[in-house]
Amino acid sequence: MRLHRLGITAFGPFGATQEIDFDALSAAGIFLLHGPTGAGKTSVLDAVCYGLYGAVPGARQSPGTSLRSDHAPADLPTEILLELTVGGRRLEITRSPAQPRPKKKGDGYTTEKAQSRLREYVPGEGWRALSRSNQEIGEEITQLIGMSRDQFCQVVLLPQGDFARFLRADAEARGKLLGRLFDTRRFAAVEEHLAELRRAAGTQVRAGDERILAVAQRIAQAAGPAAEEHPLPGIQPGEPGLADAVLEWAATARSGARERLDIAACVLSAAETRQSAARQALDAERELAGLQQRYAETRRRATEVEAGRYEHDQARERLRRARKADLVAPALELREEAGRAHRRAGAARDRSRAGLPGELADAGAEQLTALERRLREELGALDAARRAEHRSAEIDSERAALERQARADDELIRDAQSWLAGWETTRHRLHTRIEAAQEAATRAELLAGRLDPARRRLDAAGRRDTLAARVSEAEDRLATAREDALTTGETWLGLRERRLRDIAAELARELVEGEACPVCGSAGHPEPARAGDGHVDQATEDAAEAAHRRAEQARTEAEHALGAVRERYAAARAEAADNPEGQTADAACEPTVGALTDLVDTLTREHAEAYRTATGTHAAREALAAAEREQEQRAGDRQQAERRAAARTSRREGLDAEQAALAEVLAQARGGSGSVTEHAALLQRRVALLVEAAEALREEESAAARLKESDARLADAAFRAGFDTPQDAAATMLPDSRQRALQHRIDAWQAESAAVTDRLAEADARTAAGRPPADPAAAQSLYDRAERLLRDGAGAHTAARERCAELGRLSRRAAEEVRALGPVREEYERIARLAGLTAGTSADNERKMRLESYVLAARLEQVAAAATARLRRMSSGRYTLVHSDARTGGRRAGLGLHVIDAWTGRERDTATLSGGETFFASLALALGLADVVTDEAGGVRLDTLFIDEGFGSLDDQTLDEVLDVLDSLRERDRSVGIVSHVADLRRRIPAQLEVEKERHGSAVRHRAADGVSG
């Protein structure tokens, strides 16, 4: 990798654009980068690193830090341009970090995203763009260089004091640095992977042991008492020997369980024999007790039957007499019915006589009947008087109707006169209403003509406001398009100017030896012009011109679009302002959308009100016609009412004469009553009382005759049934329910007597009664004890059998778990040996070195060997760097670094070197590390190196030797940049890059033996 050119713009302390020509600096092999403290020497190296990797080294890339220069103007963007050759390809990398920039519209700033561009120089074509993706460019550069950013910073940009610290650091610190440089993470990953496998396998082994112990716990639970005699082995999961111990312990538990099963079988057999004998004895005792109890119950029932014999005989006799009395029941019921009828007839007679006058209290039926006929004749003579009274009532009703009609006609006349008095006012009001409706119709037509234009103006005002925003947007787009056209035009003209400057080189490429030059005509071409850096070819110029033409086309289209929008906007403004001639109105006088909305709302409201009024024209005319019809109707009604009043006067006189004649007839017919009808009703009530009294008297006489006849029949029926009097027969009678109850008692006594007789005849019951009393409770107690012993024996036998079966099943389960765990345990032991060996904890690893440390130790040996070749020259053959894998204290071995002093012949720690010795030892170590890392990266050449500080600690002789070593790097076509404050180096190294610190930002100056260039 060789650096050619570096462009720094607004980066770090550099406020303007600075150009660094590494080709000129590298021509001498060694160049010096110097300047005051804080001027920006390290920032030059940061710019190189940022151009390659998009990040700066170390803490300078920490969050919150900005790469942009505080001295740069706001419109100058931060940018790094790096041109280099790597892998045989010449590349140009341009990077810009995320940074604020002024907004194109309005005030303030906006954040511009980070950008990257990668171009490659192709001979004959010029620069060709490859990518603009940050990720793609980063991956491409890392692949070409073969190193990560950390490796590059350690190998190419040898940092201040890092290798001195590396020289004095302990093994752990060296391991971290070497691990980053040589990327030994894969070996650490192998260690971690093996450790993870060991943990996973150990977890599987412990899980398997836990499963075996779980089965053993279940075996202990199933074994019962045997587990107490032989407890479970006290081995923890993961310990060796657990599986064998558990299997041995399970075999012992099974043997004890089988012995207990045999014992339980013998106990069960004896319990079954005792239980069978006890069962037979209990059945015999229960049978004897039952027979004895049956015989005793039969004797008790026989005693009760004999005691109820007298009551049985009495019930039979009473039932016989009741059935004889049932023969007298019909005559007795007939007598009772006749007595009730006689009592009712007497009560009716007494009630009917209570309403008669006192002189008729003892009258007979014939006398009452004669008086009834006389009253009926008098009642018939009142029919003519009732008709006259009815006519008199009709005359009263007719006269009342005439009075009602008179009052109604009087009210009608007064109402008609009142209404007709206001007729002229009503007619004038209705005519006024019709005229107002007609005027409203005319106004509605006028408002409708104003409303439609107002609505169109409101729509135009809305379009005007929308188009105003579009005009502003179109103006912004036009400004952007003009700016793009101007920028692309300047770019095209700049490229054209650069191409014209180098047109000689372009023409030189077309020269053919022996053919005439198209410019000078010469056939010889001794020194054809060559293209300088940044040459522009015709393709690039054509592309820029095409871009400029596209920008111009976009500008033209934006102008056309703006013109079209402005025309639509002007038309909308004119329509909204009601300016049909298209004259431009003052913006301040243009009606707003709100004002036009209010105007439309007002016109709409007034039009709706006028329309509602106009729609009442027909109703007003109908109301006038109805009022005229009503006026005619009321005038006619008043005339008819006056004619009806005259007719009623003559009718009332005729009714008065007829009423006087009827009054004389009615006065004679009413007697002492208020009316003929009342007198007739009184006679009718008297006739009804006489009829009722005569009928009650005749009914009472008939009931007395029937009662006498029923008494005679009852006496005869009682004598025939064998009773002395009817009262005796009535006392002996029983209802059907009582007779059925007596019959049931008689039948039950007879059935019980027969059953007792049959049971007393049973022979086995009499024999059992002669034996001693049975004791089933004692036999039951003996049986219960035998049954309990049998159940206990059966339960114990079942439990022992199930325990043996469960122990057998669990033992097989445990054996399966042990067999399944065998390969897992073997795998764990194999992985554990490998993990312990790679982690440095195994006894086989004598030096306790981890795998990563072992690999790094091999790399450190290579670095020490490469560094020794230069260290011996720098120290005049005195010092040699060697790798040491000896252990110090309790730490692990592998990354020790010692120095052998040829003057003393002894090996000592690098921490004992002096300051100057430490510097050139660190420098040798850095150069050796660069060689090893370069080889590790696939042999990529690192043609440019930078060494930062440390030369001030060397004396003149040592400094000469160090510079000789650095100068020897040119043999491999390398160039070395030294970053230092040492003034003596400015005299010794003619090629210099000076960084000057100024008030408005730092600047770089190229210094060579022949002068200074900026």
Side-chain angles (χ1 to χ4, degrees), residues 585-813:
D586 189 359
C589 299
E590 290 183 356
T592 62
V593 174
L596 290 175
T597 301
D598 294 340
L599 176 60
V600 170
D601 293 342
T602 301
L603 292 176
T604 302
R605 184 170 60 255
E606 293 178 356
H607 178 267
E609 184 178 355
Y611 182 77
R612 285 195 301 271
T613 304
T615 55
T617 303
H618 179 73
R621 289 175 177 172
E622 290 291 331
L624 178 59
E628 292 175 346
R629 288 192 298 272
E630 185 176 0
Q631 187 269 339
E632 295 176 358
Q633 179 68 31
R634 286 181 180 273
D637 291 344
R638 183 178 62 179
Q639 293 176 358
Q640 291 179 4
E642 292 173 350
R643 286 195 294 270
R644 284 196 302 269
R648 280 194 301 271
T649 301
S650 59
R651 177 61 180 168
R652 189 181 294 111
E653 292 174 355
L655 291 175
D656 290 343
E658 186 179 2
Q659 181 73 34
L662 291 175
E664 295 177 0
V665 177
L666 292 175
Q668 296 176 1
R670 287 172 181 168
S673 300
S675 64
V676 176
T677 302
E678 292 180 1
H679 186 61
L682 176 61
L683 292 177
Q684 288 176 352
R685 286 195 299 272
R686 289 178 179 178
V687 168
L689 289 175
L690 291 173
V691 171
E692 183 181 0
E695 183 66 28
L697 185 59
R698 285 192 291 271
E699 181 66 25
E700 192 269 339
E701 292 174 354
S702 176
R706 289 195 299 273
L707 177 61
K708 184 176 179 180
E709 184 180 359
S710 64
D711 286 338
R713 290 181 179 179
L714 177 60
D716 183 61
F719 178 76
R720 292 178 181 277
F723 295 98
D724 296 336
T725 63
Q727 288 75 15
D728 293 341
T732 307
M733 292 180 66
L734 292 176
D736 292 342
S737 60
R738 290 289 303 280
Q739 292 183 19
R740 286 194 298 272
L742 287 174
Q743 185 63 48
H744 290 163
R745 288 171 57 189
I746 293 169
D747 294 342
W749 185 89
Q750 292 176 350
E752 179 67 12
S753 177
V756 167
T757 302
D758 293 341
R759 290 181 64 173
L760 288 175
E762 294 176 354
D764 53 352
R766 289 199 305 272
T767 303
R771 296 177 60 184
D775 190 2
Q780 181 67 42
S781 177
L782 293 175
Y783 174 74
D784 291 343
R785 183 171 179 276
E787 182 71 17
R788 185 170 58 255
L789 293 175
L790 177 61
R791 286 197 302 271
D792 294 344
H797 181 265
T798 301
R801 184 175 65 252
E802 293 177 351
R803 182 177 294 113
C804 287
E806 182 67 11
L807 288 176
R809 186 183 68 82
L810 291 175
S811 297
R812 291 190 297 274
R813 173 76 177 277

Side-chain angles (χ1 to χ4, degrees), residues 91 104 293 412 486 622 719 967:
L91 304 175
K104 295 182 179 179
Q293 184 178 4
L412 186 148
L486 181 60
E622 290 291 331
F719 178 76
D967 190 60

Side-chain angles (χ1 to χ4, degrees), residues 193-354:
H193 180 63
L194 289 174
E196 183 65 28
L197 290 178
R198 177 175 60 185
R199 287 191 294 270
T203 301
Q204 293 180 358
V205 170
R206 285 191 297 274
D209 287 345
E210 289 175 355
R211 289 194 297 271
I212 293 174
L213 284 177
V215 175
Q217 293 290 346
R218 294 177 62 183
I219 291 175
Q221 294 176 359
E228 299 178 358
E229 299 176 1
H230 302 284
L232 188 66
I235 302 177
Q236 297 300 321
E239 296 181 4
L242 183 141
D244 295 337
V246 169
L247 292 179
E248 182 179 354
W249 174 80
T252 303
R254 290 198 306 274
S255 176
R258 283 194 291 270
E259 293 177 359
R260 285 177 172 75
L261 177 61
D262 295 339
I263 296 172
C266 296
V267 173
L268 177 61
S269 177
E272 289 175 346
T273 301
R274 288 194 300 270
Q275 188 267 351
S276 178
R279 182 65 189 178
Q280 293 176 358
L282 176 60
D283 293 341
E285 199 68 17
R286 284 178 176 174
E287 184 178 3
L288 176 61
L291 291 174
Q292 290 178 349
Q293 184 178 4
R294 180 180 178 84
Y295 187 77
E297 179 65 19
T298 303
R299 296 297 303 170
R300 183 185 62 77
R301 288 170 61 186
T303 301
E304 292 176 355
V305 168
E306 191 62 29
R309 183 181 295 277
Y310 176 76
E311 184 179 356
H312 166 68
D313 294 341
Q314 292 293 328
R316 289 181 62 187
E317 179 62 20
R318 189 174 182 183
L319 180 61
R320 185 185 63 78
R321 288 179 59 81
R323 286 177 176 173
K324 290 177 63 179
D326 289 342
L327 301 175
V328 186
L332 184 61
E333 291 179 358
L334 183 62
R335 167 65 178 78
E336 291 178 353
E337 179 62 28
R340 288 193 295 272
H342 184 263
R343 288 191 295 274
R344 287 195 301 271
R349 181 201 62 191
D350 295 339
R351 287 193 303 272
S352 64
R353 285 184 179 276

Side-chain angles (χ1 to χ4, degrees), residues 121-127 498-513 515-519 525 527-542:
Y121 182 80
V122 179
E125 296 182 10
W127 292 100
R498 289 169 58 188
R499 179 168 175 254
L500 292 175
R501 285 201 305 266
D502 294 338
I503 194 65
E506 185 174 339
L507 294 174
R509 284 200 302 268
E510 299 176 359
L511 294 177
V512 179
E513 191 65 32
E515 295 183 4
C517 174
V519 178
H525 315 298
E527 293 182 2
R530 299 183 180 276
D533 294 337
H535 174 66
V536 178
D537 56 5
Q538 185 175 359
T540 303
E541 180 187 352
D542 293 343

Side-chain angles (χ1 to χ4, degrees), residues 951-964:
F951 293 89
S953 60
L954 303 178
D955 55 31
D956 293 341
Q957 181 180 356
T958 305
L959 180 59
D960 290 335
E961 294 174 350
V962 170
L963 292 178
D964 290 340

